[in-house]
Amino acid sequence: MQNLTSAPAPARASTTGARPHLSLEDRLAALDAAMTVKLDEAAVAFEVNTAHIPNALVNLADAVTLPGALAAAPHPLPDLYPTPVAALLQRAHHRMATDGWCAGALIDEDGAVCLLGAITKQSGGDQSLAGRALDVLMDAIRRKFGPDVESVPSFNDAFAGGRVPMRMLEEAAVLADARGI
């Protein structure tokens, strides 16, 4: 008589047709290798199929023309900030981005500006506005780099490139906007 309470014996997997279990990383690596082969084959086919076509370089200045007023003048930066100090700091950032950054001078012989030079140039002669912008910039610098920073020019000149000074102009503009000045 057959015992109905016992579980049937598990079926044994055949080793002839079974695939080994691959991890997700292994499957992705295999797929990447297969795609690389297909892309290489497509690149070779493209080169073979287009080898007879002459390859003349196109000068974009000849192909794209703009109206005279647009071609001569750069696009003005829209004021993103409604407050005067934040708008000045944003314009100073844009000035530094377009003219370039320098150290050791307000404006160098190539027209590049330092932090103080960019703010002074964009203030339009309003020393009170420039002073308030420099105060906010100094606050932003000290928040990020500590109270040991002596001045905006010394901070600017401490760097070999303009990436950090430009980022501090952005952060100061956000700070001035948050303060409503």
Side-chain angles (χ1 to χ4, degrees):
M1 182 163 185
Q2 186 179 10
N3 185 356
L4 297 175
T5 59
S6 66
R12 299 180 91 187
S14 167
T15 58
T16 57
R19 293 184 180 178
H21 177 70
L22 295 176
S23 68
L24 177 62
E25 290 81 16
D26 293 338
R27 289 184 295 187
L28 288 174
L31 184 61
D32 180 51
M35 288 304 297
T36 301
V37 168
K38 287 182 180 183
L39 288 172
D40 289 343
E41 289 173 355
V44 169
F46 176 79
E47 291 296 324
V48 169
N49 292 335
T50 60
H52 66 283
I53 300 172
N55 187 7
L57 295 177
V58 175
N59 185 355
L60 289 181
D62 296 336
V64 178
T65 58
L66 297 172
L70 290 177
H75 297 288
L77 180 69
D79 284 337
L80 299 177
Y81 298 108
T83 58
V85 173
L88 170 60
L89 289 164
Q90 178 196 16
R91 289 192 310 271
H93 177 270
H94 181 69
R95 170 68 61 189
M96 190 177 284
T98 56
D99 291 355
W101 171 86
C102 73
L106 290 177
I107 301 170
D108 71 3
E109 62 275 355
D110 297 328
V113 293
C114 71
L115 286 170
L116 180 59
I119 290 172
T120 303
K121 202 170 188 182
Q122 290 302 305
S123 69
D126 187 345
Q127 293 180 354
S128 172
L129 180 63
R132 289 184 290 157
L134 288 169
D135 288 341
V136 173
L137 177 58
M138 197 67 211
D139 286 348
I141 290 170
R142 286 186 173 148
R143 282 181 176 200
K144 187 132 186 142
F145 294 95
D148 296 335
V149 179
E150 294 177 18
S151 66
V152 170
S154 67
F155 174 80
N156 182 81
D157 294 349
F159 292 94
R163 186 177 56 86
V164 174
M166 286 182 64
R167 187 173 67 228
M168 291 315 301
L169 279 172
E170 288 177 318
E171 290 182 21
V174 171
L175 182 60
D177 185 53
R179 291 180 179 174
I181 56 173

